[in-house]
Amino acid sequence: MNSLSVLPHQRSERPLDLPYGTFQDLLRAKVEQAPGRDFLIFPESGRTYTYGAFHALAVATADWLTASIVPGGTISILFRNTPEFLAIFFGAVAHGVTVVPINPDLAAPEIRFIVENSASTAVLYDPDLGAKLKPLESQMSTGVKFIPVANVDDLPIVDVKAVEARLPKVDPTTPASINYTSGTTAFPKGVVLSHMNFLVDGKGMAEWFEFTPETRSLCILPLFHNNGLVVSLTTTLSAGGSIVLVDPKASLRSFWTLVERYHATFTSVMPSILAAILAFGFEGKPGYLKGIICGGQLLPLSLAEKFERRFGVPIFEGFGSTEATSYSSFNPIQVEKRKLGSVGLVLPISDMKVVDDHDVEVPDGTEGELCIRGGNVAIGYHNLPALQTLRFRNGWYHSGDFGLRDKDGYYYFRGRKDDLIVKGGEKIYPAEIENILSQHPNVAESAAIGIDDPILGQEICAFVNLKDVGASSEAQLLSFCAKSLARFKQPKRIVIINRLDNMPELPKGPTKKILHRELRDYYQKRLANSEDPEGLKWVLGTNSAG
Amino acid sequence: MMTDEELYVAISPLAEQVLQIERFDNTITMMSTPSWDSLAHIQLLSGVERQFGIEIDGDDAFRLTTAEKLMKYVQSKLNK
């Protein structure tokens, strides 16, 4: 595969190791090795698929999709962790179609933006979302098809070899997905990932964690984010293992039961999940669990240590981003070689370095911006040439994350170069919230910041300067946000600065840009203690556990 | 023994408060209700346990993803 035409930021000093070029090639290879081996297990619905059964389902779905899509096009999908998500994903990418996985919890205007921005020709969705999506269908000017899909097992059985013979040849560098993440402007940005990106990252992680056909991953993160699709799915598929998939929103309380009942050997979580398990006092036995893969937001050292002491399962922290498919570095599988508090060593699929503001690599121990290159690094951003040039430059992806490397080659994540808010692993730029608040007729200006949260890591607080202080309440502004923003992006708290005695306007720099850092400091010093996490207290009740 | 209707009446105040919705009925699902998130799921099940004096174990908690499933589950527990 070294003859592949890869982009400058996809070349690394390590040779590209890609035995299978596409998802379809990889799946077919695993079927040939062990068609009867368990692949996917969905405990909620009781549906399970061997490698052979899922391959047949994916091919049947590919055949059915030919009626809805054209090779090389783009479709959007809205499902939770169900067979429908995976069958449609595999069926579509087998055609060379690009899939846009969308978070079903996004608000209708957000979904519409992604569908239109990605130029999707069809939207396939869980019928439960009909009430939200049906109105969009008539609003779309481009004649996008909206197709509810209740159960892919109802699709007609096909002659697998005959359908496969009709599938177009797909190049490994073909885009497999566009994953939308929060944007520094008011709108989310699409990260374009190829088959090669997924397969390189999946294989790299599978080898790092010594996955085998006996590996069983518990997937409690959503497939519409790459952590679910790559860390749980592609990685385990690379090794020929099996995956137990549950609805992330329903899994937390059952975490240990699922680990024990399904003999999970690995799972991938956000730090907020570890915090919640501890905070709610969910007890259980690790059973066969060899490790917990963790990333997506800052993992406090005290949390990792407390969790490990309590449950005796090692946590492997890593560093990643959607732009690098998922992870690029990890702590070693050999527990004694881990450095808690570090995001580990660079995976053998990538190169990483730390640079200063002039793009010059800094000495070990010096903080700077973390940069990545290799076969797992994305093609780039969808239709955002200026941002593409800014972030993918000089043959490296510039992550916008600050950190350092120690003398032993271990990397450390320190924080963001910008004002990104990371709430329970969801990344939210203030601009998305500020854009909505700016549309309120009584808001003169606004600024959103991340504030500390004991479980989610961060929550959202919006500072608002009103034109007429008596005309809007905090509750009305929150309600206004709820109409256009997904729930997880809505501020938990609104601070009307007209009612503060020491903030006549939002703090700004010489170019009149709002200084979010000063607002964070202000909040921490003056407002943090006035916050009352009623919800948390109410939940914990008498079961509170630290 | 409670009828389904009586059970909805009993659970609705709790569910409507936790899920921040106007009406909790058999059309409500986790999928179609963004506010039914992971923390709300824990709150809802804990509240139901307290209200009815039942225990929802880990084998069941992740399956209770719709109002209908939750109601049937509570009904079966109360009938034991």
Side-chain angles (χ1 to χ4, degrees), chain A residues 18 51 145 179 229 241 285 340 486 540:
Chain A
L18 192 63
Y51 272 90
K145 289 182 197 171
N179 293 66
L229 195 55
K285 292 178 185 152
L340 279 182
L540 292 175

Side-chain angles (χ1 to χ4, degrees), chain A residues 1-68:
Chain A
M1 290 289 173
N2 284 328
S3 60
L4 279 180
S5 173
V6 298
L7 298 164
H9 57 258
Q10 294 175 327
R11 296 193 186 102
S12 77
E13 289 182 354
R14 338 268 183 123
L16 185 62
D17 183 14
L18 192 63
Y20 309 108
T22 65
F23 273 106
Q24 183 70 2
D25 293 343
L26 173 61
L27 181 59
R28 195 187 304 111
K30 297 302 166 189
V31 172
E32 285 166 4
Q33 288 167 14
R37 186 183 293 147
D38 283 343
F39 178 33
L40 303 172
I41 300 159
F42 297 90
E44 187 191 343
S45 61
R47 295 155 79 184
T48 63
Y49 301 88
T50 61
Y51 272 90
F54 182 73
H55 178 236
L57 177 65
V59 171
T61 309
D63 192 47
W64 171 69
L65 286 172
T66 55
S68 312

Side-chain angles (χ1 to χ4, degrees), chain A residues 221 248 252 269-277 279-280 295-300 303 420-428 450-461 487-492 531 533 535-536, chain B residues 37-40 42-43:
Chain A
L221 294 177
L252 202 48
V269 302
M270 299 289 165
S272 54
I273 292 177
L274 304 180
I277 288 170
F280 290 110
Q297 67 190 102
L298 196 64
L299 172 65
L303 171 62
L420 182 72
I421 300 163
V422 185
K423 174 183 172 183
E426 293 283 0
K427 294 177 170 58
I428 306 143
I451 57 175
D452 290 346
D453 183 88
I455 291 185
L456 298 171
Q458 283 190 305
E459 257 291 355
I460 300 166
C461 173
R487 186 177 164 78
F488 66 84
K489 296 180 190 174
Q490 294 165 22
K492 181 182 183 184
E531 189 181 7
L536 185 60
Chain B
D37 60 21
S38 52
L39 293 182
I42 295 169
Q43 288 183 354

Side-chain angles (χ1 to χ4, degrees), chain A residues 374-388:
Chain A
N376 60 325
V377 178
I379 294 170
Y381 295 117
H382 180 66
N383 285 345
L384 292 169
L387 188 63
Q388 173 88 13

Side-chain angles (χ1 to χ4, degrees), chain A residues 43-44 78-80 104-105 126 128-129 132 246-254 257-258 261-262 280 282 455-456 487 535 538-539, chain B residues 14 17-18 20 29-39 41-43 45-47 49-50 56-59 61-63 65 69:
Chain A
E44 187 191 343
L78 293 98
F79 297 93
R80 295 208 179 277
D105 284 343
D126 186 311
D128 262 5
L129 295 169
K132 178 154 65 177
V246 288
D247 190 321
K249 296 208 295 187
S251 65
L252 202 48
R253 192 176 143 138
S254 303
T257 304
L258 290 162
R261 181 82 67 243
Y262 292 94
F280 290 110
F282 296 146
I455 291 185
L456 298 171
R487 186 177 164 78
W538 188 84
V539 177
Chain B
L14 167 75
Q17 183 200 345
V18 171
Q20 296 173 34
T29 68
M30 184 179 266
M31 182 68 168
S32 64
T33 312
S35 55
W36 191 340
D37 60 21
S38 52
L39 293 182
H41 191 60
I42 295 169
Q43 288 183 354
L45 299 194
S46 301
E49 284 181 323
R50 279 199 292 269
I56 301 172
D57 65 37
D59 259 339
F62 70 89
R63 300 176 203 274
T65 54
K69 286 179 186 172

Side-chain angles (χ1 to χ4, degrees), chain A residues 257-529:
Chain A
T257 304
L258 290 162
V259 164
E260 207 173 346
R261 181 82 67 243
Y262 292 94
H263 296 180
T265 58
F266 271 92
T267 190
S268 175
V269 302
M270 299 289 165
S272 54
I273 292 177
L274 304 180
I277 288 170
L278 285 172
F280 290 110
F282 296 146
E283 294 294 342
K285 292 178 185 152
Y288 296 84
L289 199 61
K290 294 177 182 171
I292 295 176
I293 293 167
C294 189
Q297 67 190 102
L298 196 64
L299 172 65
L301 185 57
S302 59
L303 171 62
E305 288 174 337
K306 195 171 181 183
F307 192 93
E308 289 198 356
R309 269 202 311 275
R310 182 110 159 228
F311 297 108
V313 186
I315 296 165
F316 298 97
E317 194 180 1
F319 173 76
S321 62
T322 305
E323 287 86 342
T325 309
S326 65
Y327 286 96
S328 300
S329 79
F330 264 119
N331 270 285
I333 181 76
Q334 297 82 7
V335 172
E336 69 282 1
K337 291 185 181 173
R338 290 180 310 155
K339 288 192 182 183
L340 279 182
S342 143
V343 290
L345 302 163
V346 63
L347 293 176
I349 54 170
S350 308
D351 298 328
M352 276 177 70
K353 67 175 182 178
V354 186
V355 301
D356 64 16
D357 288 342
H358 305 289
D359 236 0
V360 176
E361 191 164 359
V362 298
D364 288 342
T366 307
E367 275 193 25
E369 186 177 11
L370 298 171
C371 298
I372 309 159
R373 68 180 181 188
N376 60 325
V377 178
I379 294 170
Y381 295 117
H382 180 66
N383 285 345
L384 292 169
L387 188 63
Q388 173 88 13
T389 305
L390 181 70
R391 303 290 287 275
F392 296 84
R393 65 179 193 270
N394 300 332
W396 291 82
Y397 163 61
H398 292 65
S399 68
D401 290 311
F402 262 122
L404 57 88
R405 181 177 59 202
D406 70 12
K407 61 181 174 44
D408 300 320
Y410 286 73
Y411 285 84
Y412 294 79
F413 170 69
R414 290 290 186 245
R416 287 291 301 175
K417 203 173 172 181
D418 51 31
D419 301 307
L420 182 72
I421 300 163
V422 185
K423 174 183 172 183
E426 293 283 0
K427 294 177 170 58
I428 306 143
Y429 272 102
E432 282 203 68
I433 301 148
E434 293 160 6
N435 176 52
I436 297 303
L437 282 167
S438 72
Q439 293 168 28
H440 189 285
N442 193 32
V443 171
E445 58 179 355
S446 66
I449 59 164
I451 57 175
D452 290 346
D453 183 88
I455 291 185
L456 298 171
Q458 283 190 305
E459 257 291 355
I460 300 166
C461 173
F463 285 78
V464 173
N465 190 0
L466 294 180
K467 293 172 187 169
D468 177 355
V469 68
S472 305
S473 68
E474 286 88 344
Q476 286 167 334
L477 293 167
L478 287 171
S479 174
F480 182 80
C481 288
K483 289 177 190 158
S484 303
L485 282 172
R487 186 177 164 78
F488 66 84
K489 296 180 190 174
Q490 294 165 22
K492 181 182 183 184
R493 189 168 187 189
I494 297 256
V495 177
I496 296 174
I497 66 166
N498 316 58
R499 294 180 188 154
L500 301 174
D501 55 10
N502 48 13
M503 192 184 290
E505 62 174 326
L506 293 172
K508 298 184 186 75
T511 61
K512 297 294 174 194
K513 191 179 171 197
I514 291 171
L515 299 174
H516 291 79
R517 188 177 294 275
E518 285 199 12
L519 283 172
R520 285 195 293 272
D521 290 344
Y522 181 93
Y523 185 90
Q524 194 59 34
K525 284 176 188 158
R526 295 172 182 267
L527 300 173
N529 294 334

